[in-house]
Amino acid sequence: MAGTGQYAEILDGDVYKYYSEGEWKKSSSGKSVAIINPTTRTTQYKVQACTQAEVNKAMETAKTAQKSWAKTPLWKRAELLHKAAAILKEHKAPIAECLVKEIAKPAKDSVTEVVRSGDLVSYCAEEGVRILGEGKFLVSDSFPGNERTKYCLTSKIPLGVVLAIPPFNYPVNLAVSKIAPALIAGNSIVLKPPTQGAVAALHMVHCFHLAGFPKGLISCITGKGSEIGDFLTMHPGVNCISFTGGDTGIAISKKAGMVPLQMELGGKDACIVLEDADLDLVAANIIKGGFSYSGQRCTAVKVVLVMESVADALVDKVKAKVAKLTVGPPEKDCDITPVVSESSANYIEGLVKDAEQKEATFCQEYRREGNLIWPLLLDNVRPDMRIAWEEPFGPVLPVIRISSVEEGIHHCNASNFGLQGCIFTRDINKAMLISDAMETGTVQINSAPARGPDHFPFQGIKDSGIGSQGITNSINMMTKVKTTVINLPVPSYTMG
Ligand code: NAP
């Protein structure tokens, strides 16, 4: 059970403690932040509202701890990460329990998130020992005008303190996707978990605590992003920011100083369906891509662009599958569960009402109870409707009928977002041409967009992000190249 047994040390009365200097602490603010259960809409947990002084302390100790961590042999860093991964998997039940209660993620998916996170940490440890164990050796005589008098040795060095800010929808997985690469590369970590998902994140951090990482190397600062976010992101002690979330990331990018940024932001992933597509495959992927975790995924299918000639057939198939989706509480493993907050539900409703006013075709009746919104497919959506462009982050999916592939590509590229997209066709040549024309970080051919497997590069263009994630890319991003040049008095040619 969350908060009990060995987890009891992370709880003070009914408020979860924050983690700094290798210890579980109560904030001197005397204030807490409530976490509302999206299903019951009552307070489920409370976390400490950390102060600026507590952030300063975490930054200071992260800086000190990083110096000795960077001198810890790579294989030892990997060993500790493997240990943390094993503990994380062992403790999947209490962590998943928090995900169910804090973010209403279906029970099975919650367990999957924790197990996937353990796998990510292990993979990262393995990848790190390989790619950080190698450097480059360059010689000067390849550049015009030079003799072979300079030998250049390159290696990858840590950046220092990495600030990690994940979003509510994968508070464990998107936290470890930042923590593990940072640590294997010799950095320290200050984690600011999302408020919804903070308790799952604290239980995850406890697994790293049990693994025995040095004190101060990992901190977890809780509090509302709107209150301590700016202080954290503009803190002079931060050497790198890895953020996943919505438009907040654009504001952070404008405020952050001279530090490398990894930004994974929103998306409006388009699903382009050609006339020759396997419509059963498309319908199955629209359901999986559009409605998993009630559409609250950055890579959810967020607009279907289907050729008019096959639109009726596709919409019928999707409608039949929507009718089979179960709707209800996450504890019962329903397909559609309450969205994360009342404001999120209100936002989704605003998009639905706008589409209704502008006469989109409702394939189901719109239904909402509290934060629970029944799955809804909106057909005949036009570009003048908000849902054609905005990210609902809920179980509502617009279908736009197109008369040419160019029209579909144009709609995809006119979006401010450019995270992923997908194409369904049996013609690989057409698929390649369309993929090249789509301005998105990734295009999936004959499958719904997806972030995983976690070692694949993952990136967005335009307002969808800066840089690239995926295990290897994140390790590289959290390092800097350092070179040492040996200058010889005379040219030296090997075996020459
Ligand atoms: P969000 O509102 O942007 O919040 C993300 C994180 O930022 C949370 O930890 C939040 O903390 C924190 N935060 C809020 N204000 C801040 C500030 N001023 N400074 C620093 N941090 C601040 O996003 P969300 O609602 O959690 O997640 C949904 C969004 O994330 C969607 O747009 C989705 O597409 C995107 N997303 C993108 C990816 C990707 O990889 N591209 C993956 C998943 C989700 P609090 O919770 O305390 O406010």
Side-chain angles (χ1 to χ4, degrees), residues 166 168 192 194-195 225 229 243-246 248 264-266 298 391 393 458:
F168 81 82
K192 199 320 261 170
T195 296
F243 176 92
T244 307
T248 321
E264 291 296 341
L265 311 183
C298 54
E391 192 187 24
F393 234 58
F458 178 56

Side-chain angles (χ1 to χ4, degrees), residues 2-4 7-17 25-26 32 44-48 199:
T4 61
Y7 288 117
E9 69 168 318
I10 76 172
L11 200 53
D12 176 63
D14 64 346
V15 186
Y16 277 90
K17 297 180 189 166
K25 297 181 175 187
K26 223 176 123 174
S32 62
Q44 181 72 48
Y45 302 122
K46 288 178 194 163
V47 290
Q48 309 287 329
V199 175

Side-chain angles (χ1 to χ4, degrees), residues 165-170 174 192-196 223-230 232-233 243-249 252 255 264-267 297-299 302 340 391 393 419 451 458 464 469:
I165 307 183
F168 81 82
N169 58 348
Y170 290 89
L174 286 171
K192 199 320 261 170
T195 296
Q196 300 290 143
K224 274 201 186 317
S226 51
E227 284 165 21
I228 53 165
D230 282 356
L232 277 160
T233 52
F243 176 92
T244 307
D247 287 351
T248 321
I252 293 174
K255 289 184 227 165
E264 291 296 341
L265 311 183
R297 294 166 50 248
C298 54
T299 54
K302 293 193 183 115
V340 71
E391 192 187 24
F393 234 58
L419 191 58
R451 185 162 50 88
F458 178 56
S464 289
Q469 282 197 82

